């Protein structure tokens, strides 16, 4: 088992825990490690850290471990953990915040396919105000090349025949308003990132803000 040097965490770690708690709207220090969240999580068997362990990493200010974990990308935002928590810790929101931070600060994403899926989903919503499945599938296949580009092709054809996949994306009446929301969110995110960098708490080698030019990145 890896030995962690907690004495090195210091103020930066406290500020990380405080930021996560503030952005998630929850008191991360309320967690007393009962494990009810992990026991109820439908995806815990795939995670490198259990949800309760992620809470502990946050409390201890172990930012790198938390932001590099596969857990934050595998989390399906089902909120089972949050509803089970006897201390009313909003764990699903903490996962959301950690994902956004990881993207914003350019951390390597362990579950790349999931990140590509999120980006494509949000890009289609940013474009037309609603999801566009065929665009998402094509974007996902291109974004995850060379991994299995033809996988599930037969399923795709069946869905097309059944009319479940549309060639032309549907758009809501006021798609411009949705684009405006995405654009404002990008502005806020970039301003936050610039502020963090100015305060010296941002990444040393960030890959840019979490929102790509054509849309946004995050969790649906
Ligand atoms: S259920 Fe709540 S208190 Fe228990 S380990 Fe999970 S976050 Fe902590
Ligand atoms: S929200 Fe995420 S961490 Fe919580 S139970 Fe669902 S999948 Fe697990």
């Amino acid at each position: 088992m890896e030995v962690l040097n907690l004495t090195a965490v210091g103020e930066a770690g406290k500020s990380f825990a405080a930021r996560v708690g503030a952005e998630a709207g929850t008191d991360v220090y309320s967690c007393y490690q009962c494990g009810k969240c992990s026991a109820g999580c439908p995806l815990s068997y795939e995670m490198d850290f259990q949800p309760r362990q992620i809470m502990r990493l946050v409390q201890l200010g172990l930012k790198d471990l938390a932001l590099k974990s596969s857990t934050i990308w595998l989390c399906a935002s089902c909120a089972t953990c949050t509803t089970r928590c006897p201390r009313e810790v909003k764990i699903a929101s903490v996962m959301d915040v950690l994902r956004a931070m990881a993207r914003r600060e350019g951390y390597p994403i362990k579950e790349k396919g999931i990140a590509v899926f999120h980006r494509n989903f949000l890009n289609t919503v940013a474009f037309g105000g609603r999801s566009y499945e065929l665009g998402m599938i094509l974007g996902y296949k291109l974004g995850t090349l060379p991994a299995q580009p033809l996988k599930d092709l037969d399923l795709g054809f069946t869905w097309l025949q059944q009319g479940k996949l549309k060639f032309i994306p549907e758009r809501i009446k006021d798609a411009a308003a949705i684009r405006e929301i995405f654009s404002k969110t990008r502005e806020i995110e970039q301003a936050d990132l610039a502020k963090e960098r100015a305060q010296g708490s941002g990444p040393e080698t960030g890959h840019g803000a979490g929102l790509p030019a054509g849309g946004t990145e995050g969790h649906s």
Side-chain angles (χ1 to χ4, degrees):
M1 185 186 288
E2 191 183 350
V3 177
L4 302 174
N5 179 7
L6 297 181
T7 52
V9 176
E11 288 309 310
K14 279 189 207 157
S15 119
F16 167 66
R19 257 178 61 214
V20 172
E23 286 188 34
T26 198
D27 178 5
V28 296
Y29 294 108
S30 288
C31 169
Y32 55 11
Q33 292 291 297
C34 69
K36 280 195 73 169
C37 51
S38 306
C41 174
L43 289 159
S44 63
Y45 67 97
E46 285 284 352
M47 294 170 169
D48 50 3
F49 289 106
Q50 297 292 291
R52 84 170 168 80
Q53 291 176 312
I54 290 286
M55 289 308 304
R56 197 71 174 133
L57 293 180
V58 171
Q59 287 176 333
L60 294 172
L62 294 168
K63 179 179 175 181
D64 280 354
L65 281 177
L67 297 191
K68 283 181 190 164
S69 75
S70 69
T71 299
I72 59 176
W73 294 100
L74 289 168
C75 167
S77 299
C78 66
T80 304
C81 49
T82 302
T83 52
R84 285 173 65 98
C85 179
R87 301 284 290 160
E88 298 183 354
V89 178
K90 295 179 187 164
I91 314 151
S93 302
V94 168
M95 296 288 181
D96 259 340
V97 168
L98 295 177
R99 273 189 295 271
M101 261 184 199
R103 276 288 298 155
R104 216 160 52 208
E105 303 195 11
Y107 274 79
I109 296 172
K110 262 194 191 164
E111 306 293 336
K112 285 195 176 55
I114 295 175
V116 170
F117 179 86
H118 292 163
R119 185 174 63 239
N120 281 299
F121 168 76
L122 287 169
N123 281 346
T124 65
V125 175
F127 174 71
R130 53 186 311 176
S131 63
Y132 169 46
E133 286 80 6
L134 190 56
M136 281 164 57
I137 293 169
L138 293 175
Y140 178 80
K141 291 288 181 191
L142 287 173
T144 53
L145 282 175
Q148 303 178 311
L150 302 180
K151 187 169 178 275
D152 300 325
L153 204 60
D154 51 342
L155 194 59
F157 278 125
T158 307
W159 285 346
L160 275 172
Q161 280 168 346
Q162 292 174 347
K164 289 180 179 163
L165 287 181
K166 305 238 180 328
F167 278 108
I168 310 288
E170 286 179 56
R171 304 183 67 179
I172 63 164
K173 268 189 196 157
D174 196 2
I178 301 291
R179 278 198 295 278
E180 180 67 16
I181 291 170
F182 275 83
S183 162
K184 284 261 184 279
T185 308
R186 262 197 305 277
E187 273 172 31
I188 293 168
E189 198 179 66
Q190 280 164 359
D192 283 351
L193 187 62
K195 202 159 74 184
E196 282 165 22
R197 282 183 172 148
Q199 290 168 349
S201 59
E204 285 172 13
T205 53
H207 299 163
L211 295 159
T216 182
E217 180 82 74
H219 204 57
S220 51

